[in-house]
Amino acid sequence: MGVSGTLPAGFEPLGQRQRDLIRIVYGRGGATVREIHARIPDPPPTLCGIRTLLNRMVRKGLLRTRRSGRHSELVYLPALTDSDVRLRAFDRIAKEYFRGSKYRAADALDRLASFEESVEAQTLSRHAA
């Protein structure tokens, strides 16, 4: 069983262990190898295997690193910002459900927002009466 949480689009093809690592790093906003090791299901006995997978993901552009602390320990950080993730998700939705048309997807979101606003207004008017 993997670490809970959803992954940004584009991470699904990764192996289960890499997906677990990505979930931890993105969920925490960054983590050291030791922090990741403490949180992953069925951790390997050494940190070396985790570090190797993390460094591969850095080379692929899925993670980035920075030095931190007194001993210059590496902290692995999300390479994508929240807005990047949202844009990728919107792009995937447009491709999968709107034949690639971002205009149609945006129009559907606008109609959904209008519908939710009208439902909320009706609910408020019922409670006020």
Side-chain angles (χ1 to χ4, degrees):
M1 169 130 174
V3 176
S4 64
T6 59
L7 289 173
F11 291 166
E12 294 86 1
L14 297 175
Q16 182 61 47
R17 179 66 83 189
Q18 287 182 322
R19 287 193 310 266
D20 289 343
L21 300 178
I22 285 280
R23 282 187 186 101
I24 293 167
V25 172
Y26 275 76
R28 294 177 50 85
T32 65
V33 173
R34 291 183 195 285
E35 292 168 337
I36 294 167
H37 186 264
R39 287 171 177 76
I40 93 176
D42 304 317
T46 67
L47 303 177
C48 185
I50 293 172
R51 189 176 292 113
T52 298
L53 288 175
L54 290 167
N55 288 331
R56 284 180 188 162
M57 290 187 284
V58 168
R59 284 193 300 275
K60 290 179 183 178
L62 304 174
L63 298 174
R64 60 187 177 87
T65 61
R66 73 170 161 76
R67 297 249 175 227
S68 177
R70 208 170 86 191
H71 303 289
S72 275
E73 188 171 24
L74 271 182
V75 176
Y76 291 85
L77 302 162
L80 301 173
T81 65
D82 286 345
S83 64
D84 293 334
V85 171
R86 283 191 291 271
L87 287 174
R88 283 184 176 201
F90 181 76
D91 188 51
R92 190 180 79 214
I93 289 168
K95 285 178 183 170
E96 290 180 13
Y97 299 102
F98 298 94
R99 293 181 293 205
S101 172
K102 291 179 178 82
Y103 174 78
R104 287 183 186 141
D107 184 54
L109 286 174
D110 187 48
R111 285 183 283 134
L112 179 61
S114 296
F115 174 75
E116 286 180 350
E117 287 172 4
S118 68
V119 168
E120 187 176 306
Q122 289 173 1
T123 303
L124 289 174
S125 67
R126 282 188 207 138
H127 290 296

